[in-house]
Each structure stands twice: as structure tokens, then as C-alpha cells.
Amino acid sequence: MKVGIVGAGMVGSSAGYALAMMGIASDIVFVDRNAALAIAQAEDISHAVPFVSATTVTAGDYDALAGTRVVIIAAGVSQKPGESRLELLERNAAVFREVVAEVLRASPDAILLIASNPVDIMTQIATRLSGLPPQRVIGSGTILDTARFRSLVGRHLGIAPQSVHAYVLGEHGDSEVLAWSNARAGSIALRSFAEQVGKPLTEDERRAIDDGVRNAAYKIINGKGSTYYGIGAGLARIVKAIAQDQRDVLSVSIVTPRVADIEDVALSVPRIIGAAGVVADLFPDLDAEEHAALGRSASLLKERVETVKLG
């Protein structure tokens, strides 16, 4: 399968590296306004390929995206000093207007995988600009937050994070919702599992895990400037589900008809991912507090996206 990556910065290149190391794609092509950067990333990754896979990694212009089944969009602009969030969003919307049009011109049947932040709003903007059905415009959403949640719970319980079944819902951001009420380890309710292994999840422990998930990006950014390895692996995981039609359940963001009484908003809930993109949405049972928090997250995202001018 051929995969395109528009935006050869740290997120795009980390996704490309993860895809190549996992051997998911037969071909990866980088496209970037800075052609020299795209070429450099493609060359660097291609030199790692002989150790693990047979993926071909190249760089080119938008025409090189022809035949791609998935195009990761990791392009965007950085916030200027004194610039408001709304101004940044509108500049990124302008970038997406050009990028989405060029991607679909070259590869009209591709699934768009959005990585640019704020990812939920950019996913909704990309859906509007493209005119594609929401199932084919997928934001990375809370796939990374969910991985952080599972990692921290697994660390506390002394088990592999792959044995933790728990999701982060809503916004990829401050209003995200950790769904504790339906979390499980193996097939056992999380609280019961924790008690059985002698590592109870006290309120203090839960608060510490919540803080670790919610503020992980800030900690990483303070230490090294940006996050990219985690989301790069998350993007590769989504592509794998599409490439192999795995029907995996992953927490990703698409425009959703109705969530907690909020209509037409992009946010994350667990969704089944296959060759056609999102196959089905899943709405987990939540307690009253979590349901209300998800509604607040949806409302916040809806308010933000409605302020962005696309004309």
C-alpha cells in the first residue's frame, strides 16, 4: 500500500519512520513546501529500511501522491507571538484549503488522516473543505491520550499496557475525558483488578494518572520542544488498521452527527477502523459525571470550530 505524508516536520517524519519500521506500507512519499526537507527525511528513513523492511521511501510534489490509499496531513503553521488561537486557526484553515485540494486532485480516492493541531477542529475543517464523507477524514484524536492512559494504568498495576482496555474520549486537549467507569484490565473491571493484585486505585492514584495523561504533552514540550514519537506511532497504527482491514477499535476523531446532545462535531470516541476508513462509531456506557464532561468537551469544540471562517 502506498501512503503519502504532507508535512515533513517532526510529526510527519516520525509517522513515516514508524510506518517504515513496521513494514506497513510498500511505498511512502513525503511532500513538503520545503522540498529539501522532504528529500532529507525520505533519504534518512530509507537508510534505516534495510535493517527491518522493504518499504520504498521517496519525496516529491503533490503529483507524487497519485495512487495513495492514505494521506497523512501533518502540515500547518506555528503560532506567532501575540497571535490569538482564532487567528492561528484561520491561518491553518488557509493552509488546509490548499493542501486538501491538491491532495484530492492527485489522489481522489485517498483516506485523509489528519495530524495537525488542534486536531479535532482541523479534522472538521478538512471534512468541510474536502466534501468527503466523515468516514474518510480521520483525525488522530485521542489515540495518543488513550495510549498514555493505558501506559500509566499498566505501570501502576504492573501489567502490560496492551492488557488495559480503557479510552480517552472527546477533545484531544484540556477537556478530554478519561473513561474510568468502563475501564478494564483483561476482562475484569479496573477497580476489581487493582484490588486483586494488591495495588488499589485510590482517588490520589486516579488523580495522578489523570494529570499524567492530561498534561503529558506540556511536560514533553517543556523538556524538548514538541511531541512526535508517540503520535507518529499512533498514526502508523491507524494506517495499519486501514491497510490490513483489521476492523480495530481505536479512539479517533471524525465529524459525528450527535454526541451528548451536540450535533455535527469532530471528537473522539472508540471507532471500528477498516479498509474503507471508519466502519462504525461506538459509544461506551459512561457514568453521569463522564457523560456530562463529554458533553462539555463536545460543546467547547463546536463553539471553536464555528468561529473559523473558511471563505
Side-chain angles (χ1 to χ4, degrees):
M1 185 182 81
K2 183 177 180 181
V3 177
I5 301 175
V6 179
M10 293 308 300
V11 170
S13 62
S14 294
Y17 181 74
L19 285 166
M21 293 301 97
M22 295 166 70
I24 296 168
S26 58
D27 296 272
I28 299 169
V29 57
F30 282 99
V31 176
D32 196 282
R33 182 168 292 182
N34 181 345
L37 175 63
I39 292 169
Q41 298 287 30
E43 285 291 296
D44 197 12
I45 294 170
S46 69
H47 298 160
V49 165
F51 296 108
V52 289
S53 74
T55 301
T56 299
V57 188
T58 59
D61 58 17
Y62 282 105
D63 288 339
L65 296 175
T68 51
R69 279 186 55 196
V70 178
V71 176
I72 297 170
I73 300 180
V77 294
S78 301
Q79 194 163 11
K80 296 178 180 178
E83 184 177 39
S84 71
R85 184 184 183 91
L86 177 57
E87 289 169 335
L88 174 64
L89 279 172
E90 290 180 346
R91 287 203 299 129
N92 267 322
V95 171
F96 264 46
R97 190 179 299 110
E98 175 187 344
V99 168
V100 170
E102 286 294 314
V103 168
L104 292 181
R105 178 188 60 77
S107 187
D109 296 324
I111 291 171
L112 306 184
L113 182 49
I114 311 302
S116 305
N117 276 319
V119 69
D120 302 293
I121 295 174
M122 299 312 298
T123 298
Q124 189 141 6
I125 288 171
T127 304
R128 291 180 182 177
L129 291 171
S130 68
L132 295 174
Q135 294 77 12
R136 282 180 54 196
V137 186
I138 305 170
S140 56
T142 60
I143 193 167
L144 179 55
D145 310 271
T146 291
R148 290 165 174 162
F149 189 15
R150 295 178 179 183
S151 177
L152 291 174
V153 169
R155 189 180 302 172
H156 172 75
L157 298 177
I159 61 174
Q162 292 87 349
S163 294
V164 178
H165 309 292
Y167 293 92
V168 178
L169 314 175
E171 178 193 16
H172 171 56
D174 294 340
S175 72
E176 64 190 22
V177 181
L178 278 66
W180 288 98
S181 64
N182 55 54
R184 294 184 173 273
S187 62
I188 303 170
L190 198 58
R191 188 179 296 275
S192 175
F193 187 100
E195 290 173 353
Q196 290 185 50
V197 299
K199 296 183 178 180
L201 278 163
T202 64
E203 287 304 312
D204 285 345
E205 292 288 353
R206 284 178 45 150
R207 277 194 293 269
I209 290 172
D210 184 284
D211 179 74
V213 173
R214 202 174 299 276
N215 295 309
Y218 299 121
K219 182 178 180 180
I220 294 168
I221 289 168
N222 285 338
K224 66 173 190 174
S226 61
T227 68
Y228 37 87
Y229 293 133
I231 190 57
L235 292 164
R237 183 68 186 83
I238 298 168
V239 174
K240 182 180 180 182
I242 296 169
Q244 300 179 5
D245 195 21
Q246 289 185 318
R247 304 296 178 102
D248 286 321
V249 178
L250 303 172
S251 56
V252 296
S253 181
I254 69 170
V255 176
T256 310
R258 190 177 185 88
V259 178
D261 296 326
I262 305 299
E263 296 181 351
D264 187 37
V265 63
L267 48 59
S268 290
V269 296
R271 306 183 197 271
I272 301 173
I273 309 291
V278 173
V279 176
D281 301 334
L282 304 172
F283 295 91
D285 295 327
L286 304 174
D287 64 27
E289 184 178 345
E290 292 165 349
H291 187 270
L294 181 58
R296 290 192 295 272
S297 186
S299 179
L300 176 66
L301 287 167
K302 181 72 171 178
E303 290 171 7
R304 286 178 181 166
V305 77
E306 287 183 344
T307 64
V308 182
K309 299 176 184 176
L310 296 182

